[in-house]
Amino acid sequence: MTLVRMHSRSTSTNAVHRTVAEAMDAAGPQVWDDMTVEVALSVMAAARTGHLVVCDEDGQYTDLVTRARLTAVRDSSGYTDRVRLRDITDGGPFASPLTTVAEAEHAMRHRRLGALPVVDEHGNALGVVAHSR
């Protein structure tokens, strides 16, 4: 997995000019937005990943959901087994392939994101940049 090393301030000119397209990992598991939360959690567990890329019926990126987010929804008082991913997604932030690594690092720090999807001009999920551990 290719991970972006996160720093409080990037001192490397490489991070300033390098794009996320050069630093991203494959998009990983992509699921449809009509999938239920419970099934999405099962897919996530089977894939041993902490996030899933959510796509609409046309295969276009709509959001990235995390295990923590799905677990919070499942554990909420209003949850039923009919809740679908489209019911909980909000079209979260994403990066263009031309976004620099420094810009992605800033956005991830500012929004407290563990991963940021990379989406092309046609709405296709190309990959994900993530914090290194």
Side-chain angles (χ1 to χ4, degrees), residues 110-125:
H110 179 71
R111 293 186 171 122
R112 297 182 179 168
L113 302 172
L116 186 65
V118 180
V119 179
D120 71 12
E121 67 275 6
H122 303 292
N124 300 309

Side-chain angles (χ1 to χ4, degrees), residues 71-90:
T71 302
V73 168
R74 185 190 60 198
D75 295 344
S76 69
S77 62
Y79 175 76
T80 72
D81 61 356
R82 294 183 180 154
V83 175
R84 307 221 176 257
L85 296 179
R86 75 169 58 101
D87 300 329
I88 64 163
T89 58
D90 58 7

Side-chain angles (χ1 to χ4, degrees), residues 6-130:
M6 304 304 284
H7 302 282
S8 59
R9 289 190 186 261
S10 178
T11 56
S12 167
T13 57
N14 188 29
V16 173
H17 300 291
R18 191 169 152 208
T19 66
V20 294
E22 298 168 301
M24 70 184 179
D25 189 16
Q30 295 186 24
V31 297
W32 304 123
D33 63 358
D34 65 345
M35 181 178 283
T36 65
V37 168
E38 205 61 45
V39 172
L41 281 165
S42 294
V43 168
M44 198 176 285
R48 296 182 181 181
T49 186
H51 63 267
L52 296 171
V53 172
V54 182
C55 298
D56 65 14
E57 62 276 356
D58 296 322
Q60 303 303 294
Y61 167 83
T62 60
D63 209 347
L64 182 117
V65 293
T66 63
R67 179 179 331 235
R69 185 170 169 196
L70 294 177
T71 302
V73 168
R74 185 190 60 198
D75 295 344
S76 69
S77 62
Y79 175 76
T80 72
D81 61 356
R82 294 183 180 154
V83 175
R84 307 221 176 257
L85 296 179
R86 75 169 58 101
D87 300 329
I88 64 163
T89 58
D90 58 7
F94 61 89
S96 154
L98 301 177
T99 301
T100 66
V101 170
E103 291 168 329
E105 287 176 347
H106 175 75
M108 292 171 69
R109 265 194 320 275
H110 179 71
R111 293 186 171 122
R112 297 182 179 168
L113 302 172
L116 186 65
V118 180
V119 179
D120 71 12
E121 67 275 6
H122 303 292
N124 300 309
L126 303 175
V128 176
V129 289

